[in-house]
Structure formats: C-alpha cells, structure tokens
Amino acid sequence: MAWISEGKPAVHKHRGRWVVREPGYDTVTGKVRPKQHGTFSTKRDALALARKAGEGRISTSDQTLEDFLYKVWIPSKESRVEQSTLNQYLWAVDGHIVPLLGAVKLKDISPELIDGWIHDLSRAPASGGKPRIGVTSTRLARKILSMALQEAVQRDLIAKNPVAATQPPRPVRDGGRQSWTVVEAQTFLRASRDHRLYGVFHLALVTGMRRGELLGLRWRDIDMANGLISVEQQLAVVGGRPVLKSLKTLASERLLTIGPRTVELLRERRDQQTEEYLFAGLDPRDADLVFTNEVGGLLDPNNLGRILTRLAADAGVPRITPKGLRHTAQSIGRVVVGDDKVMQERLGHADIGVTLNTYTHTETEQHRRAGDLIDGVFD
C-alpha cells in the first residue's frame, strides 16, 4: 500500500500531546489518509520535527539496512554490473556492513553512526590486535555503503545520504614508488629484453594499456601494416580464475597508434609464440591471444605483478606494480606528446580530470628539463 503527500507537515494538539501530521492520500483507495510522524510532550519538539519533515530530512521507513541491501539494492545490481563488481559489493555487504549496521532502520542511520562504523572497521581495538580490515578496504566499504544509501535516496526511502557528511579514513602512504623515470624505464627494458613476457612490459610502457587489456589482446586486434591496436576486451580474475570479458566503459574501447619499433617487437613475439606452439604440439594458426603461457593458455593476471617485481629487482630499479607501468606511460607520454587530450584518449579515461590528477607523476628529471627550457628564454 503506497501513500502520497499532499502538503507540508503541521503540528496539532491531541489529548494533551503534540503530534506532527502530514496530509496525503492512499494510492490504492484514493482516500485521504494523513501520515503521523511523531508525538511529543512539547510543542517546540513537534515544530522541530515538522520543519525537518517539510525539508525532506526525515524518513518514516521501518525497513532495516539489511533488508534494503539484500531485498532491494543487491537484486537491482545483479543484471547491471559485472560479476566481479557484484562480488565486491557482496564482500562489503556480507562481511562488513550487515554484521555491524544491518539491524539499524534506514531512517535511523546518521553520520555519527557511520563515523563509529568507520572507526570500528579501520582502527585497532584498545585491547590490542589488528583492525577488522585495513584503511584501503575501509574506504572501499564506505564507498559501497554510500552507493547503496544513495539509491535509497533515489527511491525516496530516506531524504539524504548520511555517508556524504562523513570522511573516509586517511589513506596510508607506504612511501613506495608509483612510477619510473624515463631512465629507470629504459634500464628495466634493457635488463628484461630476454624474458618471454618482455613484450607485455614494453607495450605497457609505450601504450599505457591496463594489465587486463594487455593480457586480453588478440592478434586480430593488431594492424601491423598501419601500426594500430584496437583495445576491445580484457582478461580479468573472476572467482579466482582468469576470464576474458568486455571492457567496463565505452571510453576504454579505443584505437592506439604504435611506432615501427613496437611493431617489430610484436612480430618477434609472433615468431616466439609460433615456436612455443610447435614445441607443445599445437597449431600456431590457432593462436588467438598475443600473450599466453608456454602452452597457449591464459596468463594469470596476478602472476604478472610477481614477475614484474622480480625483474625490477634484477634490473636494479624501484619496485612498482603493473598499474605503475601505466602511471609511467602517462608521465612520460605527457611530456613527450605534450597533449593531455591525446593522452586521455590513449589511456582510455572517460574524464580528462583522471588523466591530469590521478596518473600524472612528473619526475625530477622532467622538472629539470622544464627549468632548462624556461631558463633558455632569457639567454
């Protein structure tokens, strides 16, 4: 049975008490049916609630957060997001939101309550021991809760999203490097030239492709004659296993230009793969993906980071993650190309702000070069 408001809440005196009623009608019967928001002993308290109700700052829903998440929000996402994304939502809901907040009614969720929840997740107990989850995971759980409660706002179950009035815990800075300088990247590539996955790292540094995009690259996506790569799919980990899947956004689907040196490298990779297929008793004509294991199978994306760490140590350069290769490509590309819009399109960012703010790590040597160029103006 639904109800629709037909005016602002008003305060009335009834049997020695002050009540707040909002005019409205029943959508099934069409009959007038005022909704009562509360009963108070003082007129002042009643007027305060009436103001909140008139401003849309209260909810009268008795639905608990647990019921909303499991009966409304999660079902609404099942056919709209990738399975890996849904698994991430369930990780937060099952493990960290419902166990601590599930019994709270939607109308009672406040910023103060969420602040306490954030504290309980990310802070070590006073008695000692480790926090429930780390700061990064707490920030993710908070983001997912905010997404869910924002949908509750859109469904008119609550007036405002209480998470918006809170702050996530401060991210932990481990002091690690996020990218390489040009010299470090060159040093790494020279030292890793004989590794069978050298092409993955080279292509990452010259194109800025994501780890999954590199491992999902097919030969038919490459136009050797014209030096073009079409980024159309990715290799992701779903349920602990590598799976080929479509890209998340339209901006991720893009056409990349590559130079003759990279084209020659890909030809070498083709010859290398042919030898591997023949050695394994396979037909090289069946090769689909550019980068596979020795017997033509899917590479585990998680192994790429371990290989990168080992090769970086061998090369004597700072340890970075596969995402750091993308950071490096952005930093170098921004200086060499000098066009942020071009770099946005090459990296597959939907918003140029991501290109400018998230992936730009200009190194000291690049600052020095800029200083030299400016200094030369005044010779």
Side-chain angles (χ1 to χ4, degrees):
M1 181 165 55
W3 177 87
I4 292 181
S5 171
E6 281 194 307
K8 292 187 176 182
V11 174
H12 304 276
K13 195 167 187 178
H14 180 68
R15 295 181 181 179
R17 304 276 290 177
W18 295 96
V19 297
V20 180
R21 293 195 182 112
E22 186 174 355
Y25 67 92
D26 188 311
T27 58
V28 176
T29 64
K31 293 182 178 180
V32 173
R33 185 170 64 85
K35 176 177 285 189
Q36 186 163 309
H37 290 301
T39 303
F40 302 89
S41 57
T42 67
K43 185 177 182 180
R44 180 180 178 179
D45 291 340
L47 287 171
L49 183 72
R51 281 195 298 273
K52 286 185 177 181
E55 295 169 359
R57 292 193 289 122
I58 67 169
S59 168
T60 58
S61 173
D62 287 327
Q63 188 176 35
T64 65
L65 178 59
E66 179 177 6
D67 284 344
F68 171 72
L69 291 172
Y70 285 132
K71 295 179 180 179
V72 179
W73 191 64
I74 291 296
S76 75
K77 298 298 180 185
E78 288 177 344
S79 61
R80 295 163 53 194
V81 300
E82 296 283 351
Q83 184 61 46
S84 58
T85 302
L86 184 63
N87 290 342
Q88 196 173 63
Y89 294 164
L90 289 171
W91 162 83
V93 170
D94 293 344
H96 308 295
I97 298 176
V98 167
L100 300 179
L101 295 175
V104 182
K105 294 179 181 179
L106 284 177
K107 65 181 182 181
D108 295 329
I109 299 177
S110 65
E112 294 74 23
L113 192 66
I114 294 172
D115 280 333
W117 170 71
I118 292 171
H119 183 276
D120 290 342
L121 285 181
S122 61
R123 300 295 176 85
S127 58
K130 294 182 179 181
R132 185 183 182 98
I133 54 177
V135 170
T136 301
S137 295
T138 299
R139 291 171 65 91
L140 177 58
R142 175 186 174 276
K143 179 180 178 181
I144 291 171
L145 176 60
S146 182
M147 292 170 59
L149 291 180
Q150 188 58 41
E151 188 155 322
V153 172
Q154 294 168 355
R155 293 173 182 266
D156 293 325
L157 296 174
I158 54 177
K160 290 186 177 181
N161 184 351
V163 179
T166 70
Q167 294 292 325
R170 182 176 299 178
V172 176
R173 303 295 183 187
D174 60 8
R177 291 281 295 277
Q178 290 185 304
S179 63
W180 287 325
T181 65
V182 174
V183 172
E184 288 167 346
Q186 292 170 338
T187 299
F188 172 82
L189 290 179
R190 282 195 299 269
S192 308
R193 188 64 178 86
D194 294 332
H195 194 276
R196 68 175 300 274
L197 293 181
Y198 169 83
V200 177
F201 304 118
H202 179 99
L203 203 57
L205 288 169
V206 298
T207 66
M209 290 172 66
R210 298 175 177 90
R211 179 187 67 173
E213 295 168 346
L214 290 161
L215 300 186
L217 183 65
R218 299 165 296 192
W219 287 113
R220 64 176 177 270
D221 298 328
I222 302 173
D223 180 349
M224 300 275 196
N226 295 299
L228 297 172
I229 292 178
S230 178
V231 184
E232 297 183 358
Q233 67 171 12
Q234 62 178 323
L235 185 67
V237 178
V238 179
R241 295 188 176 187
V243 176
L244 289 168
K245 54 191 292 191
S246 60
L247 301 175
K248 282 189 174 182
T249 65
L250 289 176
S252 296
E253 297 181 4
R254 58 202 188 276
L255 194 64
L256 297 172
T257 56
I258 53 175
R261 184 177 180 184
T262 301
V263 170
E264 182 58 31
L265 175 71
L266 288 169
R267 294 187 193 281
E268 291 177 12
R269 169 57 194 157
R270 184 72 170 185
D271 294 340
Q272 177 193 49
Q273 189 179 63
T274 297
E275 292 179 5
E276 291 176 345
Y277 265 59
L278 291 173
F279 184 80
L282 302 172
D283 189 340
R285 291 173 298 182
D286 294 334
D288 183 31
L289 297 179
V290 177
F291 302 110
T292 61
N293 59 30
E294 291 87 342
V295 292
L298 299 177
L299 284 168
D300 185 342
N302 292 324
N303 284 339
L304 194 65
R306 291 187 279 269
I307 295 170
L308 176 59
T309 296
R310 186 174 69 249
L311 292 177
D314 292 342
V317 297
R319 174 184 177 272
I320 63 172
T321 65
K323 193 171 185 179
L325 298 174
R326 183 167 161 85
H327 286 219
T328 303
Q330 159 62 7
S331 296
I332 296 174
R334 194 178 184 209
V335 172
V336 174
V337 176
D339 189 321
D340 292 326
K341 184 63 178 176
V342 169
M343 291 309 301
Q344 174 199 352
E345 293 171 352
R346 286 183 68 83
L347 292 164
H349 291 153
D351 182 355
I352 196 170
V354 177
T355 309
L356 297 177
N357 299 327
T358 305
Y359 290 99
T360 298
H361 304 279
T362 306
E363 303 296 344
T364 302
E365 66 185 73
Q366 295 163 351
H367 274 289
R368 186 177 297 112
R369 179 170 178 266
D372 291 341
L373 290 173
I374 295 171
D375 188 61
V377 174
F378 303 101
D379 281 346

